[in-house]
Amino acid sequence: MTQSLAKNIKPIHEHGANVLYQHGTLALLVPGLLEGTTTTIGELLKHGDTGIGTGEGLDGELIILDGVAYKVGQSGVAERVPDDFTMPFANSHRAAFQYQCEREDIGLEELNKKIVEANGRANTFFSVVVRGTFSFIKTRAVIKQQAPYPTLVEVADRQAVFLRHDVKGTMLGYFSPVMFHGAAVAGFHEHFLSDDHTFGGHVLDAVLQRGKIYSQVFDTLVQHLPVDDPGYRNHDFSQDPIAEAISSAEGDIRPHNE
């Protein structure tokens, strides 16, 4: 374990690395507005070489590293995203991560708690990369839905959950302040990709055996909304239990595959 250098990490303005770009909001997923409203994955990559999200109809858990996009579907296997892949929700940014610390034998909840405490940025957007060996990791992938789309809470019962042990890989996450819950997930939203690209998904739980943590702080959020989509433009969100639905959908469920 090393002493955290988080307080020395500041936004980097070169090449726009201080900007977090987000297409859509998690709130629009709540009533089942799952149409792919980005043009293509290529359009998203214009705003960054790193990110997470999901495809049209919740088609897999998206993770972008080094400018390459992968999705993890119900098989749990990561595959390259096709050029015509569209998304209802995604984050991306230009990577400029700075070393924060090294940790070992620590669970996900405690790790995330220490990351926030160390950098003192509970009201700031930032991204975290954890690279190392995970003695245990539990991920999930939503099973792709077909129109007419169900609500987010209904989709929560249609997920594949995977358990792995002694996996080397990268966990990429974004931290969002509580005041932005609905636009994003308050707290951490994390996806995983194994080094051999055979396994990944949305992270539900993990134990980091040993790894290095890197952070990147944003002082600017660019929120892109799908205003040309009739479903989004005409929907009355005042009738949706947004906070409760997002919290429920982000929660843990029983294993599907081991």
Side-chain angles (χ1 to χ4, degrees):
M1 185 175 105
T2 57
Q3 182 176 1
S4 177
L5 302 176
K7 292 184 178 179
N8 299 326
I9 296 175
K10 307 295 182 184
I12 296 176
H13 290 79
E14 287 80 6
H15 308 295
N18 62 310
V19 178
L20 172 61
Y21 176 85
Q22 179 170 297
H23 172 73
T25 69
L26 275 181
L28 65 80
L29 304 183
V30 170
L33 299 177
L34 308 182
E35 293 290 340
T37 47
T38 53
T39 305
T40 62
I41 188 67
E43 179 62 29
L44 180 66
L45 292 174
K46 290 179 181 178
H47 301 278
D49 53 19
T50 304
I52 62 177
T54 188
E56 180 173 276
L58 302 183
D59 182 13
E61 307 291 340
L62 180 73
I63 182 168
I64 305 168
L65 295 172
D66 300 320
V68 181
Y70 302 87
K71 70 170 182 176
V72 178
Q74 63 189 85
S75 68
V77 176
E79 57 185 83
R80 290 281 294 269
V81 169
D83 292 339
D84 60 353
F85 190 78
T86 60
M87 296 143 285
F89 174 80
N91 293 114
S92 70
H93 75 277
R94 293 179 173 86
F97 289 96
Q98 301 170 68
Y99 175 76
Q100 180 169 335
C101 62
E102 187 170 323
R103 291 285 181 262
E104 58 184 36
D105 298 324
I106 186 170
L108 181 64
E109 183 176 354
E110 184 66 15
L111 173 62
N112 286 341
K113 179 181 177 182
K114 287 186 176 298
I115 289 172
V116 176
E117 289 177 347
N119 65 32
R121 291 191 174 94
N123 296 320
T124 303
F125 284 91
F126 61 89
S127 182
V128 172
V129 160
V130 181
R131 297 189 181 105
T133 300
F134 294 78
S135 55
F136 165 80
I137 190 162
K138 184 177 187 178
T139 66
R140 69 108 188 272
V142 175
I143 297 173
K144 184 179 179 180
Q145 306 299 303
Q146 303 296 328
Y149 296 117
T151 66
L152 187 62
V153 171
E154 291 170 336
V155 171
D157 292 328
R158 307 174 191 179
Q159 303 180 61
V161 179
F162 308 94
L163 309 178
R164 294 291 186 274
H165 297 273
D166 302 319
V167 179
K168 291 184 179 180
T170 299
M171 184 172 71
L172 168 66
Y174 290 94
F175 178 89
S176 302
V178 170
M179 69 185 82
F180 286 90
H181 191 58
V185 180
F188 284 95
H189 183 180
E190 294 158 317
H191 288 192
F192 180 79
L193 181 67
S194 64
D195 284 349
D196 61 8
H197 297 172
T198 63
F199 169 73
H202 174 98
V203 179
L204 295 173
D205 196 9
V207 175
L208 178 64
Q209 179 177 319
R210 187 179 187 89
K212 294 181 178 179
I213 294 91
Y214 303 82
S215 291
Q216 183 171 348
V217 179
F218 308 109
D219 60 17
T220 301
L221 172 67
V222 173
Q223 177 74 69
H224 181 259
L225 298 174
V227 296
D228 293 329
D229 178 59
Y232 172 78
R233 191 170 59 242
N234 300 321
H235 185 75
D236 181 6
F237 286 95
S238 68
Q239 303 302 310
D240 298 320
I242 293 172
E244 296 85 350
I246 290 175
S247 297
S248 175
E250 292 298 309
D252 201 351
I253 55 178
R254 65 184 182 277
H256 168 83
N257 186 351
E258 188 166 358

